[in-house]
Amino acid sequence: MSAVNPRSITDHVLALIEDTDADQHWSELASRALVDTVAVLLAGAGDPSVRAVAASIGESGGDARSLATGTAMSPRSAALVDGTSAHALDYDDVDDAVIAHPSAVLVPALLAASSTQDVTGAELAAAFRTGVRVGRAIAAAIDIRSHYELGWHSTATIGTIGATAAVAQLLRLTIDQARHALGIAGSLAGGSRRAFGTMTKPLHAGLAAGNSLLATQLAVNGLTSDPDLIGSPLGFLELHSERRGTAVPSFADAPIDEPALNVKLFPCCYYTHSAAEAALSLSTDSVGHNGIEQVTVIVQPGGLAPLLHRRPTDGSQAKFSMEYVVAAALLDGRIDLSTFSDDRVARVDVQQLLTRVEVAEAPTPPIGPPSPEGPFAAVVIRKGDGTTAQNRVDRPAGHASRPVTDEQLHRKFDDCTAFADPSARHHVHQELRNLRNQLSIRQLIDQVCQLSQSRFGGSI
């Protein structure tokens, strides 16, 4: 990549904000992301993290409504609650280019912002595109791998910048207002990966969504910031990467325009998904047998970075445990929401098996073709009788290169909203899929809130 003056970075982001053209492919991606995110948001609404955040909102009304609770509150609070809920189950989509969960931040932020003025589905789709593209551009400039390995949670850090850009476009901020909003967002962004496996991890997405509303509101009301806090010395990029004092790559060279994201089919850390799929393919040979002596899992370099919990004791930790996910897949032949209940994690059989799961990173897979197509996971089972079973998955089902079908996405939506009347959830699903033709996002929000109210009776 060619080097550029860091001072040009904010100008490039502002140019992306001014580009409001979302073609059919991006509109389709936004619609599918809305379906997926609303589904996991509603499913996550009962999570203790969401209950804690909702209980901390000292408001009795406002211009927006939280989808998770169905109750009225300020747009910033709605984005905070709903962002937390969208990420509570770790079932939301992933963007490889940012090593982050873009929709868990963008969708709640944009829906909350849509409560303050008339917004169409086409406008929301365009703003969603802007948020994804800005996030990817920032990730390229910051050297996302080093940023992540330094311990930053990019859903929270880069997500705050991307969502602020998206909201700035949706609310039609002036260029000067958007410039200051980006600077404010750069000061608000933060989040440590040490929080993985705790209730603070989903809070990161909520804070990023809520802070994008705060940054834009402050800028509209006249609060100023450094005009290029993102790219200047001591600014966002320099503070959050190992490139201090060096030129950053050109945004123009960053691959930001692919309208694709990875949809999760398992409610756990995405870095476990390839191994989970490989283990599930082997589970028919393992279920009912106590003869497994060892399970070896080999992944690509960096593939264990977010998996902090070797011996999980509850469902939140288990989502970030390769050992647990593989053991549960082998024993149960499935990975679903019930897999991560505290009771399931505590079961004796899974606790015993996970101690026999060994994990490691390697540049070359131990089985299969020597040159994997992207991230990989190889699972090798050795039994007491000397036999072995093995499989390798390079990219899990749901990855952008192996996209989910509309039928699979609809099934996930139904699973996540099983508490609702079938006809009501079918109607909401159809409306979400028809995003491009929606004339009023506020009406769409009202329809989704009816689903949440049917679960909690109006509040949690």
Side-chain angles (χ1 to χ4, degrees), residues 90 196-197 201 269 306-309 316-322:
D90 229 277
F196 285 17
K201 204 247 188 182
C269 179
L307 304 177
L308 304 183
H309 299 283
S316 293
Q317 291 181 358
K319 290 175 180 287
F320 299 89
S321 171
M322 180 70 84

Side-chain angles (χ1 to χ4, degrees), residues 10-99:
T10 297
D11 289 334
H12 184 91
V13 173
L14 291 171
L16 294 177
I17 293 174
E18 289 188 291
D19 181 1
T20 60
D21 180 29
D23 62 20
Q24 181 178 352
H25 298 294
W26 276 100
S27 295
E28 174 70 7
L29 178 67
S31 174
R32 286 167 64 90
L34 198 62
V35 168
D36 190 55
T37 307
V38 168
V40 299
L41 188 163
L42 294 178
D47 189 82
S49 63
V50 183
R51 290 178 176 272
V53 172
S56 302
I57 302 299
E59 301 173 5
S60 58
D63 297 331
R65 293 177 72 187
S66 162
L67 272 65
T69 68
T71 54
M73 55 186 68
S74 71
R76 180 193 176 194
S77 293
L80 170 62
V81 173
D82 289 350
T84 303
S85 193
H87 199 42
L89 303 179
D90 229 277
Y91 209 3
D92 45 308
D93 64 26
V94 173
D95 190 354
D96 290 337
V98 192
I99 318 181

Side-chain angles (χ1 to χ4, degrees), residues 71-400:
T71 54
M73 55 186 68
S74 71
R76 180 193 176 194
S77 293
L80 170 62
V81 173
D82 289 350
T84 303
S85 193
H87 199 42
L89 303 179
D90 229 277
Y91 209 3
D92 45 308
D93 64 26
V94 173
D95 190 354
D96 290 337
V98 192
I99 318 181
H101 302 263
S103 297
V105 179
L106 288 172
V107 169
L110 292 172
L111 290 177
S114 298
S115 301
T116 63
Q117 64 184 50
D118 292 329
V119 172
T120 67
E123 290 170 331
L124 190 143
F128 179 85
R129 169 179 176 261
T130 294
V132 173
R133 296 173 81 218
V134 168
R136 289 173 176 175
I138 295 292
I142 208 170
D143 183 7
I144 187 58
R145 179 60 61 184
S146 69
H147 176 71
Y148 194 80
E149 291 180 355
L150 281 170
W152 295 107
H153 184 196
S154 42
T155 297
T157 53
I158 296 174
T160 302
I161 308 295
T164 298
V167 172
Q169 181 188 97
L170 191 73
L171 298 184
R172 305 181 185 94
L173 269 62
T174 67
I175 289 298
D176 283 344
Q177 290 171 337
R179 182 183 293 277
H180 289 301
L182 291 169
I184 296 166
S187 288
L188 295 174
S192 166
R193 284 198 294 110
R194 188 62 200 175
F196 285 17
T198 75
M199 287 191 285
T200 299
K201 204 247 188 182
L203 176 64
H204 287 173
L207 289 172
N211 282 339
S212 72
L213 271 293
L214 177 61
T216 53
Q217 290 167 348
L218 288 170
V220 167
N221 287 321
L223 192 77
T224 62
S225 180
D226 183 279
D228 186 36
L229 187 136
I230 296 176
S232 294
L234 303 182
F236 177 84
L237 293 182
E238 186 172 286
L239 289 174
H240 288 82
S241 74
E242 296 179 333
R243 286 177 168 162
R244 298 190 178 188
T246 64
V248 299
S250 169
F251 278 92
D253 296 333
I256 65 173
D257 289 319
E258 179 64 26
L261 295 169
N262 308 328
V263 175
K264 283 189 171 186
L265 295 180
F266 308 128
C268 49
C269 179
Y270 195 63
Y271 277 48
T272 68
H273 283 218
S274 290
E277 186 176 333
L280 287 172
S281 72
L282 302 172
S283 64
T284 54
D285 295 329
S286 305
V287 171
H289 296 278
N290 296 319
I292 298 178
E293 287 197 345
Q294 184 181 53
V295 182
T296 302
V297 182
I298 305 295
V299 299
Q300 78 283 354
L304 298 176
L307 304 177
L308 304 183
H309 299 283
R310 305 292 304 275
R311 300 291 182 263
T313 58
D314 60 38
S316 293
Q317 291 181 358
K319 290 175 180 287
F320 299 89
S321 171
M322 180 70 84
E323 292 85 352
Y324 175 81
V325 170
V326 169
L330 290 171
L331 287 171
D332 295 342
R334 58 178 172 80
I335 296 289
D336 56 25
L337 291 170
S338 68
T339 302
F340 300 97
S341 68
D342 290 348
D343 289 344
R344 182 69 187 95
V345 175
R347 261 178 48 180
V348 173
D349 60 347
V350 74
Q351 285 292 331
Q352 289 179 341
L353 182 55
L354 70 82
T355 64
R356 298 196 289 273
V357 178
E358 297 184 359
V359 299
E361 298 177 359
T364 304
I367 59 175
S371 299
E373 296 183 2
F376 67 85
V379 176
V380 181
I381 299 172
R382 189 180 77 242
K383 299 181 181 180
D385 61 6
T387 61
T388 62
Q390 60 186 29
N391 192 21
R392 175 182 131 196
V393 172
D394 287 356
R395 289 170 174 161
H399 188 273

Side-chain angles (χ1 to χ4, degrees), residues 39 43 91 337 408-419 425:
Y91 209 3
L337 291 170
Q408 288 175 303
L409 189 61
H410 197 164
R411 189 182 309 124
K412 180 179 176 180
F413 184 88
D414 284 345
D415 288 344
C416 287
T417 58
F419 57 85
R425 70 172 182 249

